[in-house]
Amino acid sequence: MDLLESLNWRYATKKFSNKKLAADKLQTIVDAINLSASSAGMQPYRLFVIENSELKKELGVGSFNAQITEASHLLVFAAYTAIRKEDIQKYIQLIARERNTTEESLVDFKNSLEKYFLSRTDEENFIWSARQAYIALGTGIIAAADQQVDATPMEGFDSERFDTLLGLKEKGLKSVVLLALGYRDEEKDPFARMKKVRLPKEEFVTEIV
């Protein structure tokens, strides 16, 4: 399939089969997420990939999203709860190492990051971080469709439960959105064979020439 065919094929899967996701497909999706667009390239979030069935059951307690437990793999996007000076320093060190340059050559960039982020509240920086995580979520959805892997983005979950079970608070993170991965159960999912419904382009798009 080409990209548009893959995106037309995909939908928010409601019922997953018990077919497991192949390691190479999972890795491709994870790699795509890691390559996602990110403001200033900072990636102020982390990705947790969960296959363990018992943990998925614990995470899914009380949620109306059965996909948490039924999917082959569950991706958890967790955003920074704050941006610290040491986070910026680590990022500068990474750039210097990967681009084979010096930290001194990046001092203006470092100063601009510190001036911007350290002047804001933790809440403002968390909101920004969460939005960055959503950009990565979109990349993951597209990558899954490209691999012919079904995916379901989800917000309806107990973030406090996730944060506790995954030890996110200790890492300065908070779960913000999920992506379940696997394969649709066409017999049990009534949406599997339904035509995708989207606005006609002439209504959705305004072209300004």
Side-chain angles (χ1 to χ4, degrees):
M1 290 186 183
D2 67 18
L3 179 60
L4 291 183
E5 287 176 329
S6 295
L7 292 176
N8 192 56
W9 167 85
R10 70 148 300 277
Y11 73 109
T13 305
K14 302 299 184 289
K15 297 293 293 183
F16 284 96
S17 71
N18 58 10
K19 182 181 177 181
K20 299 299 287 185
L21 183 57
D24 61 332
K25 288 185 176 289
L26 174 64
Q27 196 57 57
T28 296
I29 295 167
V30 169
D31 287 346
I33 292 170
N34 190 38
L35 291 170
S36 184
S38 178
S39 179
M42 283 189 63
Q43 297 176 280
Y45 52 87
R46 292 294 180 266
L47 183 69
F48 293 78
V49 181
I50 302 169
E51 182 179 3
N52 184 280
S53 297
E54 290 304 314
L55 178 56
K56 286 188 293 183
K57 286 180 182 178
E58 287 189 70
L59 292 169
V61 170
S63 175
F64 59 82
N65 285 315
Q67 298 97 321
I68 291 174
T69 59
E70 293 175 353
S72 172
H73 291 74
L74 181 69
L75 306 188
V76 181
F77 294 78
Y80 284 16
T81 55
I83 304 294
R84 305 165 300 169
K85 190 170 185 176
E86 48 263 47
D87 297 322
I88 296 171
Q89 178 61 31
K90 285 177 64 177
Y91 179 47
I92 294 298
Q93 290 171 343
L94 175 63
I95 295 174
R97 184 170 67 249
E98 291 298 309
R99 293 180 176 170
N100 194 28
T101 188
T102 64
E103 293 181 38
E104 289 74 20
S105 68
L106 299 167
V107 66
D108 288 342
F109 181 48
K110 176 184 176 184
N111 289 340
S112 67
L113 292 177
E114 289 182 347
K115 181 179 180 181
Y116 181 73
F117 290 109
L118 302 184
S119 67
R120 307 201 310 176
T121 66
D122 288 346
E123 179 64 18
E124 286 174 325
N125 284 329
F126 168 70
I127 291 171
W128 171 78
S129 297
R131 287 173 176 167
Q132 295 298 303
Y134 272 80
I135 294 173
L137 169 72
T139 302
I141 292 171
I142 294 170
D146 180 69
Q147 293 294 305
Q148 297 296 283
V149 171
D150 287 297
T152 307
M154 295 174 286
E155 290 184 315
F157 66 99
D158 186 343
S159 62
E160 288 296 323
R161 184 176 187 84
F162 272 68
D163 296 350
T164 298
L165 289 172
L166 298 177
L168 299 185
K169 293 179 182 178
E170 296 82 352
K171 298 179 175 72
L173 297 166
K174 181 172 180 58
S175 55
V176 291
V177 69
L178 312 176
L179 186 63
L181 299 174
Y183 296 97
R184 65 189 71 178
D185 186 331
E186 294 198 1
E187 295 301 317
K188 295 181 180 179
D189 191 341
F191 294 90
R193 290 180 292 275
M194 289 185 180
K195 183 179 180 180
K196 185 184 289 290
V197 178
R198 292 294 186 269
L199 289 170
K201 282 196 292 185
E202 59 269 22
E203 182 178 346
F204 179 67
V205 179
T206 299
E207 294 190 14
I208 303 173
V209 180

